[in-house]
Amino acid sequence: IKDLVWRLKPNRDHALQEASEAEAAIPMTSEDEPSDSVACDQSAQSNFVPASHVFVAQDLSSRDEVLRFISSKAVELGSAIDEEELFQAFLRREAEGTTGMMEGFAIPHAKSSTVQEASAYVVKLAHGADDWETMDTASVTVVIGLLIPESKAGTEHLKLLSKIAEALMDDDFRAEIRATDDAEAIARATNARLV
């Protein structure tokens, strides 16, 4: 996890601290005897990304267009109240260091009081966002946006971010997401990595 979070943060000391908090936030229980709270949490995560939060073949050509699109859909679908505030929260995070990863993936995340509940949105682009800085200079074509309420900024967002970052290190997961435009299939594949 420390490696994965570092790739998302420009400041190494801050990254290591955030990674340590993420590790502490993820419940460690026996595989044979999971606690009721962990089982409940896993059930919620298995439906964390509904198909209605997945958008494919979107004709968006820049980072800001994508972030604005997610902000608009989040308000439309009840995940957030204020589109402009959410958009600015995304931009504040990008100002700390790009959330562009490798092989066309990006995982922008916003922590804000306008977010009503932790949620995620997946956007596949028709042509890619060339202005989104990535670690391998590839154009961003798949975006997994995370929205976190301010009140859960120290726990929920770290758990979700670390799980998504781990998923993006898996060749099979990246290939599965790239290979389909079926919203239900993308939602299932993403949810499977959050349990």
Side-chain angles (χ1 to χ4, degrees), residues 37-50:
S37 62
V38 172
C40 180
D41 185 50
Q42 288 179 341
S43 176
Q45 287 178 331
S46 67
N47 298 305
F48 187 69
V49 183

PDB file of all heavy atoms in Angstrom, residues 37-50:
ATOM      1  N   SER A  37     -19.467  -6.631  11.819  1.00  0.00           N
ATOM      2  CA  SER A  37     -19.269  -5.304  11.241  1.00  0.00           C
ATOM      3  C   SER A  37     -18.510  -5.403   9.922  1.00  0.00           C
ATOM      4  O   SER A  37     -18.805  -4.685   8.970  1.00  0.00           O
ATOM      5  CB  SER A  37     -18.512  -4.389  12.207  1.00  0.00           C
ATOM      6  OG  SER A  37     -17.223  -4.903  12.472  1.00  0.00           O
ATOM      7  N   VAL A  38     -17.530  -6.304   9.855  1.00  0.00           N
ATOM      8  CA  VAL A  38     -16.780  -6.483   8.618  1.00  0.00           C
ATOM      9  C   VAL A  38     -17.680  -7.077   7.545  1.00  0.00           C
ATOM     10  O   VAL A  38     -17.655  -6.665   6.387  1.00  0.00           O
ATOM     11  CB  VAL A  38     -15.547  -7.376   8.844  1.00  0.00           C
ATOM     12  CG1 VAL A  38     -14.886  -7.713   7.514  1.00  0.00           C
ATOM     13  CG2 VAL A  38     -14.552  -6.676   9.765  1.00  0.00           C
ATOM     14  N   ALA A  39     -18.500  -8.060   7.911  1.00  0.00           N
ATOM     15  CA  ALA A  39     -19.411  -8.677   6.951  1.00  0.00           C
ATOM     16  C   ALA A  39     -20.374  -7.642   6.397  1.00  0.00           C
ATOM     17  O   ALA A  39     -20.678  -7.620   5.203  1.00  0.00           O
ATOM     18  CB  ALA A  39     -20.185  -9.818   7.627  1.00  0.00           C
ATOM     19  N   CYS A  40     -20.876  -6.765   7.277  1.00  0.00           N
ATOM     20  CA  CYS A  40     -21.795  -5.718   6.847  1.00  0.00           C
ATOM     21  C   CYS A  40     -21.090  -4.759   5.899  1.00  0.00           C
ATOM     22  O   CYS A  40     -21.645  -4.354   4.873  1.00  0.00           O
ATOM     23  CB  CYS A  40     -22.317  -4.971   8.075  1.00  0.00           C
ATOM     24  SG  CYS A  40     -23.461  -3.642   7.677  1.00  0.00           S
ATOM     25  N   ASP A  41     -19.844  -4.391   6.249  1.00  0.00           N
ATOM     26  CA  ASP A  41     -19.074  -3.470   5.422  1.00  0.00           C
ATOM     27  C   ASP A  41     -18.823  -4.080   4.044  1.00  0.00           C
ATOM     28  O   ASP A  41     -18.930  -3.414   3.027  1.00  0.00           O
ATOM     29  CB  ASP A  41     -17.746  -3.162   6.114  1.00  0.00           C
ATOM     30  CG  ASP A  41     -16.934  -2.113   5.359  1.00  0.00           C
ATOM     31  OD1 ASP A  41     -17.507  -1.064   5.036  1.00  0.00           O
ATOM     32  OD2 ASP A  41     -15.754  -2.375   5.093  1.00  0.00           O
ATOM     33  N   GLN A  42     -18.519  -5.377   4.007  1.00  0.00           N
ATOM     34  CA  GLN A  42     -18.262  -6.041   2.735  1.00  0.00           C
ATOM     35  C   GLN A  42     -19.517  -6.086   1.875  1.00  0.00           C
ATOM     36  O   GLN A  42     -19.461  -5.923   0.664  1.00  0.00           O
ATOM     37  CB  GLN A  42     -17.733  -7.456   2.976  1.00  0.00           C
ATOM     38  CG  GLN A  42     -16.309  -7.472   3.513  1.00  0.00           C
ATOM     39  CD  GLN A  42     -15.824  -8.876   3.774  1.00  0.00           C
ATOM     40  OE1 GLN A  42     -16.609  -9.803   3.887  1.00  0.00           O
ATOM     41  NE2 GLN A  42     -14.510  -9.033   3.864  1.00  0.00           N
ATOM     42  N   SER A  43     -20.673  -6.288   2.521  1.00  0.00           N
ATOM     43  CA  SER A  43     -21.928  -6.313   1.780  1.00  0.00           C
ATOM     44  C   SER A  43     -22.202  -4.964   1.136  1.00  0.00           C
ATOM     45  O   SER A  43     -22.618  -4.884  -0.022  1.00  0.00           O
ATOM     46  CB  SER A  43     -23.078  -6.682   2.721  1.00  0.00           C
ATOM     47  OG  SER A  43     -24.304  -6.610   2.039  1.00  0.00           O
ATOM     48  N   ALA A  44     -21.951  -3.897   1.880  1.00  0.00           N
ATOM     49  CA  ALA A  44     -22.164  -2.546   1.345  1.00  0.00           C
ATOM     50  C   ALA A  44     -21.214  -2.274   0.186  1.00  0.00           C
ATOM     51  O   ALA A  44     -21.596  -1.700  -0.828  1.00  0.00           O
ATOM     52  CB  ALA A  44     -21.971  -1.516   2.454  1.00  0.00           C
ATOM     53  N   GLN A  45     -19.962  -2.710   0.324  1.00  0.00           N
ATOM     54  CA  GLN A  45     -18.981  -2.467  -0.715  1.00  0.00           C
ATOM     55  C   GLN A  45     -19.283  -3.256  -1.976  1.00  0.00           C
ATOM     56  O   GLN A  45     -18.974  -2.817  -3.082  1.00  0.00           O
ATOM     57  CB  GLN A  45     -17.578  -2.807  -0.205  1.00  0.00           C
ATOM     58  CG  GLN A  45     -17.045  -1.781   0.780  1.00  0.00           C
ATOM     59  CD  GLN A  45     -15.675  -2.171   1.307  1.00  0.00           C
ATOM     60  OE1 GLN A  45     -15.348  -3.351   1.392  1.00  0.00           O
ATOM     61  NE2 GLN A  45     -14.882  -1.186   1.648  1.00  0.00           N
ATOM     62  N   SER A  46     -19.926  -4.427  -1.831  1.00  0.00           N
ATOM     63  CA  SER A  46     -20.203  -5.247  -3.011  1.00  0.00           C
ATOM     64  C   SER A  46     -21.200  -4.568  -3.938  1.00  0.00           C
ATOM     65  O   SER A  46     -21.327  -4.940  -5.099  1.00  0.00           O
ATOM     66  CB  SER A  46     -20.709  -6.628  -2.595  1.00  0.00           C
ATOM     67  OG  SER A  46     -21.987  -6.518  -1.988  1.00  0.00           O
ATOM     68  N   ASN A  47     -21.920  -3.556  -3.426  1.00  0.00           N
ATOM     69  CA  ASN A  47     -22.860  -2.785  -4.240  1.00  0.00           C
ATOM     70  C   ASN A  47     -22.483  -1.311  -4.272  1.00  0.00           C
ATOM     71  O   ASN A  47     -23.322  -0.452  -4.554  1.00  0.00           O
ATOM     72  CB  ASN A  47     -24.280  -2.936  -3.679  1.00  0.00           C
ATOM     73  CG  ASN A  47     -24.764  -4.373  -3.725  1.00  0.00           C
ATOM     74  OD1 ASN A  47     -24.753  -4.991  -4.773  1.00  0.00           O
ATOM     75  ND2 ASN A  47     -25.161  -4.900  -2.588  1.00  0.00           N
ATOM     76  N   PHE A  48     -21.234  -1.029  -4.001  1.00  0.00           N
ATOM     77  CA  PHE A  48     -20.779   0.359  -3.855  1.00  0.00           C
ATOM     78  C   PHE A  48     -20.904   1.140  -5.156  1.00  0.00           C
ATOM     79  O   PHE A  48     -21.267   2.315  -5.162  1.00  0.00           O
ATOM     80  CB  PHE A  48     -19.321   0.364  -3.370  1.00  0.00           C
ATOM     81  CG  PHE A  48     -18.807   1.730  -3.034  1.00  0.00           C
ATOM     82  CD1 PHE A  48     -19.285   2.415  -1.934  1.00  0.00           C
ATOM     83  CD2 PHE A  48     -17.830   2.316  -3.812  1.00  0.00           C
ATOM     84  CE1 PHE A  48     -18.810   3.674  -1.625  1.00  0.00           C
ATOM     85  CE2 PHE A  48     -17.350   3.579  -3.512  1.00  0.00           C
ATOM     86  CZ  PHE A  48     -17.838   4.264  -2.404  1.00  0.00           C
ATOM     87  N   VAL A  49     -20.590   0.490  -6.273  1.00  0.00           N
ATOM     88  CA  VAL A  49     -20.675   1.148  -7.579  1.00  0.00           C
ATOM     89  C   VAL A  49     -21.848   0.558  -8.360  1.00  0.00           C
ATOM     90  O   VAL A  49     -21.725  -0.500  -8.967  1.00  0.00           O
ATOM     91  CB  VAL A  49     -19.378   0.964  -8.388  1.00  0.00           C
ATOM     92  CG1 VAL A  49     -19.466   1.727  -9.714  1.00  0.00           C
ATOM     93  CG2 VAL A  49     -18.166   1.429  -7.598  1.00  0.00           C
ATOM     94  N   PRO A  50     -22.999   1.222  -8.356  1.00  0.00           N
ATOM     95  CA  PRO A  50     -24.118   0.721  -9.162  1.00  0.00           C
ATOM     96  C   PRO A  50     -23.867   0.999 -10.638  1.00  0.00           C
ATOM     97  O   PRO A  50     -23.069   1.876 -10.989  1.00  0.00           O
ATOM     98  CB  PRO A  50     -25.314   1.527  -8.639  1.00  0.00           C
ATOM     99  CG  PRO A  50     -24.714   2.797  -8.121  1.00  0.00           C
ATOM    100  CD  PRO A  50     -23.343   2.429  -7.594  1.00  0.00           C
TER     101      PRO A  50
END
